[in-house]
Amino acid sequence: KSYRLMMLPLQNITYVITPVMLPVFSELQSDRKSLGQKYFKLIKLLAYVSFSLSIILFGCARELVLFVFGSQWEESIIPFQILTFTVAFQILTSTTGSIYQAVGATKQMFISGCWGAFFMATSFFITIFHWHTIEAVCYGYLVAQIANTTQCFWLLFKIIEIPITKIAELCIRPLVISGGLLLVYYIYSLHPLILPLFLSLVAKGVLGLVVSIVLIQLI
């Protein structure tokens, strides 16, 4: 249930972006430097959106789970909160397949996919057989997603001639914004408004959206 709920925003975002990317970037396949520059602008924008979205989902986790699935699924709140931190990484990596295909680097795409499968399978194997809890599996999934995102962009950036150091530039500011947003939600949790479930969900969602926009403008 936690995983299904976490996948909803991810699927809707990638459903819009991915089909458009391949034909657009295929036109630039002969000029990889220009392709790399345009692609970096795209994922830089996505990084701001996706990292903020991860924290908003984290902050609204209790209300989302109870509103969508009901109180009998309250135990899935913590797994859902852990999984929300993977949303940003999955949104960013979902864009890479189109770029691999646009430049004809399908072999490298296959290698990257194999590494991703290795990280996922290893994380599940270790967490299931060592810790035996759903929460541990979620933490393992998060670690695997971070590792997969790192290797995926490391390989892709070399192909499209983007300096590897740009990975840090891509993540630092969105992470700072996420930290500020997480702090706001923590402060809110200390003095929460007593509202019905749906209104509490709306209030937290609007709070996260407003704070995200303000922080993005400031930073």
Side-chain angles (χ1 to χ4, degrees):
K1 289 290 186 181
S2 301
Y3 184 81
R4 282 180 56 196
L5 187 57
M6 180 271 296
M7 288 297 291
L8 286 175
L10 175 65
Q11 289 171 338
N12 282 282
I13 291 173
T14 55
Y15 177 78
V16 174
I17 295 173
T18 304
V20 179
M21 287 181 60
L22 181 56
V24 171
F25 284 100
S26 292
E27 296 178 359
L28 300 169
Q29 60 182 313
S30 58
D31 185 0
R32 291 193 177 185
K33 187 172 183 180
S34 177
L35 184 150
Q37 291 172 345
K38 295 183 187 302
Y39 175 63
F40 188 76
K41 287 182 181 179
L42 171 66
I43 57 172
K44 194 172 183 180
L45 173 63
L46 276 178
Y48 284 109
V49 174
S50 59
F51 277 95
S52 297
L53 177 62
S54 287
I55 304 303
I56 291 172
L57 290 172
F58 175 85
C60 299
R62 179 180 178 277
E63 287 79 6
L64 269 173
V65 170
L66 297 183
F67 180 74
V68 175
F69 296 129
S71 58
Q72 70 271 27
W73 287 97
E74 189 169 358
E75 289 184 17
S76 67
I77 293 174
I78 292 178
F80 177 70
Q81 285 182 314
I82 300 168
L83 291 174
T84 58
F85 290 109
T86 70
V87 170
F89 300 107
Q90 293 189 79
I91 289 176
L92 292 176
T93 52
S94 70
T95 66
T96 59
S98 297
I99 305 301
Y100 278 120
Q101 293 176 63
V103 298
T106 51
K107 179 181 178 181
Q108 290 88 339
M109 181 180 175
F110 173 74
I111 293 170
S112 178
C114 288
W115 276 111
F118 169 76
F119 290 136
M120 294 301 157
T122 303
S123 73
F124 290 148
F125 182 82
I126 293 173
T127 53
I128 289 171
F129 290 100
H130 185 72
W131 283 285
H132 313 289
T133 67
I134 291 176
E135 288 80 4
V137 173
C138 292
Y139 280 119
Y141 185 73
L142 173 59
V143 172
Q145 284 294 344
I146 294 172
N148 182 48
T149 302
T150 303
Q151 67 83 19
C152 192
F153 279 106
W154 184 279
L155 183 58
L156 183 63
F157 278 15
K158 292 200 317 188
I159 294 169
I160 58 177
E161 301 176 18
I162 298 178
I164 299 300
T165 53
K166 287 281 188 178
I167 294 178
E169 181 183 333
L170 178 68
C171 295
I172 288 176
R173 289 182 181 181
L175 283 172
V176 171
I177 291 168
S178 298
L181 186 55
L182 198 59
L183 178 61
V184 168
Y185 274 126
Y186 173 72
I187 294 171
Y188 180 86
S189 70
L190 298 177
H191 308 283
L193 298 175
I194 307 302
L195 297 169
L197 186 64
F198 179 72
L199 291 180
S200 178
L201 174 59
V202 172
K204 283 187 172 182
V206 171
L207 173 66
L209 184 62
V210 171
V211 172
S212 296
I213 293 171
V214 171
L215 289 175
I216 288 171
Q217 290 300 317
L218 290 175
I219 293 179

